[in-house]
Amino acid sequence: MAVFRSGLLVLTTPLTSLAPRLAPILSSAARLVNHTLYVHLQPGMSLGGPAQPQSSPVQATFEVLDFITHLYAGADVHRHLDVRILLTNIRTKSCLPPLPTSVQNLAHPPEVVLTDFQTLDGSQYNPAKQQLERYATSCYSCCPQVSSVLLYPDYGPAVSPAGSLGVHLPSTIRPTSPVARSAKQPVRGHQRGAVGGTFDRLHNAHKVLLSVACILAQEQLVVGVADKDLLKSKLLPELLQPYTERVEHLSEFLVDIKPSLTFDIIPLLDPYGPAGSDPSLEFLVVSEETYRGGMAVNRFRLENDLEELTLYQIQLLKDLNHKENEEDKVSSSSFRQQMLGNLLRPPYKQLKILTDIMWPVIAKLAREEMDQAVAEGKRVCVIDAAMLLEAGWQNMVHEVWTVVIPETEAIRRIMERDGLSEAAAQSRLQSQMSGQQLVDQSHVVLSTMWEPHVTQRQVEKAWALLQKRISEAPSGP
């Protein structure tokens, strides 16, 4: 069966029945789509009748928010997929105008349309597929020769494909009061609100946070993206995506999921940001971790004679496959840890002639040692040089591997090892390349900030990946 780069998954099963079936549906979709999977919720829609189905508004209830979280959590096992739940037809109680009649453009036009809708005979029933294609192309910009597939996932004996299975999903928004609320309770809409974060390597937990904010906002959403001083305390800050790259990915995602909103994406340079000073904002979306920060924003607003913001606290997504020293939630910090030992950029294609290096005699000796190793049949030669990049020795190698630790830890180690004062240790570091400069010129990054056995695992992973690259490389010079 063909594999497509982008796809649109149209879910027609009522949400209460859909939740327990979601894992096999996503697994089936992940076998057909390998990059971007858009998801469109239209519970109760039939593709089996003679009339062409039309998109209709879906009331934004707490059940809908919980299902969106459940879907993103389930999609986390398919991390090769960029899943995006489209929100155009999901409306809060305060905003239920007619749906737009124009076709919504998508950043990655779907090449295939998938659905959980099932025909009675379990076949790829042509009229149903035609209905699906017409419905999809009436809502979204799809590729001209779009394909369609009725998924028919293997639900297994535990899940019946028919009937309603009441499954209680964890609450996306933590209740602000102990009073129980109904899953069918409508979500209140606001005109303008805010959300903030680092948004490094946009992942499914980010998407939950952003999706809730987009559903709550009817007019404008202000998005603060952490930069500069707010990044210093982050784990492995050298591996953070540049601000412009984070904003680019964030903007594409937001415009895709709800193009009717106006998005104001700005750098977040202090803990309060625009949420602390903009009088027109009505709400702020925070996570369990940043809830205290949201409370601080409200205190700051009150001190400056501004009304408090309504806070929506979003539950964290658990990472069931996290490893030692990684957080138990889906987080960018863990993703950066997982990058350690991986190849970050392609190796140099060929060795260059040494020119204008700082230590030509040492370089000559190193070259002679490498030539001798090659003559003896060695496949890998390692140059251990603290100043390799400063000396321009990257021209001698195919790959540069770098070890990074936080500056504060580097200073502590220098003081402890060499008996220097803090000022002297800082002076020594300032004479060298920064961690960020090293990472920008390296192919593989490791870190020794944890226990030795953790570093050992990183090295073993990097070495195994290197052996794989060598075995797959074409023969010849």
Side-chain angles (χ1 to χ4, degrees):
M1 186 173 289
V3 176
F4 304 88
R5 180 172 173 79
S6 59
L8 172 66
L9 173 60
V10 179
L11 296 175
T12 64
T13 304
L15 299 188
T16 51
S17 301
L18 185 57
R21 303 174 184 153
L22 200 51
I25 290 173
L26 289 174
S27 294
S28 297
R31 287 192 286 270
L32 294 171
V33 179
N34 62 12
H35 188 270
T36 306
L37 179 66
Y38 294 104
V39 180
H40 173 82
L41 300 180
Q42 196 65 79
M45 184 178 73
S46 174
L47 298 171
Q52 175 62 40
Q54 302 293 320
S55 181
S56 58
V58 175
Q59 175 74 64
T61 61
F62 286 100
E63 178 187 41
V64 170
L65 295 186
D66 295 346
F67 180 80
I68 288 173
T69 299
H70 183 59
L71 195 152
Y72 276 126
D76 208 53
V77 300
H78 307 289
R79 288 189 175 172
H80 68 287
L81 273 184
D82 179 1
V83 175
R84 305 182 182 187
I85 303 174
L86 302 170
L87 307 176
T88 300
N89 66 325
I90 299 177
R91 305 299 183 90
T92 60
K93 186 177 180 180
S94 58
C95 180
L96 282 174
L99 291 174
T101 56
S102 58
V103 173
Q104 177 182 333
N105 291 321
L106 298 173
H108 308 278
E111 301 169 1
V112 63
V113 186
L114 316 169
T115 186
D116 61 336
F117 181 82
Q118 298 190 356
T119 60
L120 294 176
D121 61 0
S123 66
Q124 293 293 327
Y125 182 54
N126 283 332
K129 292 178 65 176
Q130 291 169 3
Q131 292 274 47
L132 176 63
E133 291 172 16
R134 284 196 292 266
Y135 176 77
T137 54
S138 70
C139 298
Y140 304 105
S141 60
C142 299
C143 288
Q145 302 299 321
V146 66
S147 301
S148 58
V149 177
L150 307 183
L151 288 177
Y152 299 111
D154 180 9
Y155 293 118
V159 179
S160 168
S164 175
L165 299 172
V167 173
H168 177 71
L169 299 177
S171 295
T172 296
I173 298 179
R174 174 166 289 185
T176 55
S177 69
V179 179
R181 67 184 178 214
S182 167
K184 304 295 184 182
Q185 180 180 332
V187 175
R188 175 192 171 197
H190 304 267
Q191 291 304 304
R192 301 183 75 245
V195 64
T198 306
F199 300 115
D200 179 47
R201 291 174 175 82
L202 199 67
H203 53 64
N204 289 323
H206 290 145
K207 293 175 183 179
V208 171
L209 201 73
L210 294 165
S211 296
V212 171
C214 285
I215 289 174
L216 295 172
Q218 307 306 311
E219 193 174 290
Q220 184 176 23
L221 182 65
V222 178
V223 185
V225 180
D227 197 22
K228 297 185 179 177
D229 287 350
L230 293 188
L231 302 180
K232 290 182 178 179
S233 63
K234 299 295 181 183
L235 180 69
L236 299 170
E238 300 89 353
L239 294 176
L240 280 164
Q241 291 174 315
Y243 173 81
T244 53
E245 189 174 340
R246 286 180 281 136
V247 168
E248 180 183 352
H249 294 162
L250 183 63
S251 178
E252 181 186 289
F253 174 79
L254 291 170
V255 172
D256 256 355
I257 67 171
K258 194 171 180 180
S260 61
L261 275 184
T262 298
F263 297 105
D264 187 9
I265 303 177
I266 61 174
L268 199 57
L269 304 176
D270 63 75
Y272 301 117
S277 57
D278 189 338
S280 67
L281 295 178
E282 302 168 44
F283 73 89
L284 176 64
V285 174
V286 296
S287 70
E288 290 179 74
E289 287 186 329
T290 58
Y291 182 71
R292 288 186 178 180
M295 297 288 286
V297 166
N298 271 342
R299 287 194 298 270
F300 185 77
R301 288 177 69 91
L302 289 175
E303 290 169 2
N304 290 275
D305 299 322
L306 296 175
E307 290 188 9
E308 287 185 299
L309 301 175
T310 302
L311 296 183
Y312 291 91
Q313 182 183 356
I314 308 303
Q315 309 274 32
L316 298 172
L317 287 192
K318 296 298 182 183
D319 183 356
L320 301 179
N321 299 312
H322 72 280
K323 297 181 177 60
E324 184 182 5
N325 291 307
E326 294 179 357
E327 297 178 299
D328 63 356
K329 63 183 179 70
V330 177
S331 74
S332 301
S333 297
S334 294
F335 286 5
R336 292 194 295 277
Q337 281 184 258
Q338 292 161 14
M339 291 173 62
L340 296 172
N342 287 345
L343 188 69
L344 301 182
R345 51 185 56 85
Y348 299 125
K349 293 296 184 182
Q350 59 185 3
L351 303 183
K352 299 178 181 178
I353 299 174
L354 297 175
T355 57
D356 299 325
I357 62 174
M358 294 174 62
W359 301 288
V361 175
I362 300 175
K364 181 175 182 295
L365 292 174
R367 166 60 75 183
E368 290 173 354
E369 291 285 339
M370 288 192 291
D371 289 344
Q372 178 64 32
V374 170
E376 294 173 359
K378 300 291 193 302
R379 301 182 70 192
V380 179
C381 297
V382 178
I383 299 179
D384 183 5
M387 305 290 284
L388 184 143
L389 291 173
E390 288 89 339
W393 284 16
Q394 64 267 37
N395 295 331
M396 297 174 63
V397 300
H398 295 97
E399 296 182 13
V400 175
W401 291 20
T402 292
V403 178
V404 295
I405 53 174
E407 182 177 318
T408 53
E409 177 64 12
I411 291 172
R412 187 193 67 78
R413 293 185 186 184
I414 292 172
M415 292 170 61
E416 184 178 286
R417 183 189 64 205
D418 300 337
L420 298 178
S421 66
E422 183 175 352
Q426 286 179 328
S427 176
R428 179 178 294 183
L429 275 186
Q430 289 170 0
S431 68
Q432 302 173 7
M433 284 188 178
S434 68
Q436 188 63 64
Q437 289 172 316
L438 293 172
V439 167
D440 289 345
Q441 299 183 63
S442 299
H443 300 84
V444 175
V445 175
L446 307 168
S447 180
T448 59
M449 62 184 295
W450 299 282
E451 296 298 320
H453 71 275
V454 177
T455 305
Q456 179 71 25
R457 278 208 307 268
Q458 294 174 27
V459 173
E460 290 172 355
K461 169 187 172 183
W463 186 258
L465 291 174
L466 173 63
Q467 299 304 313
K468 183 180 179 182
R469 290 195 292 276
I470 292 173
S471 66
E472 294 175 350
S475 57

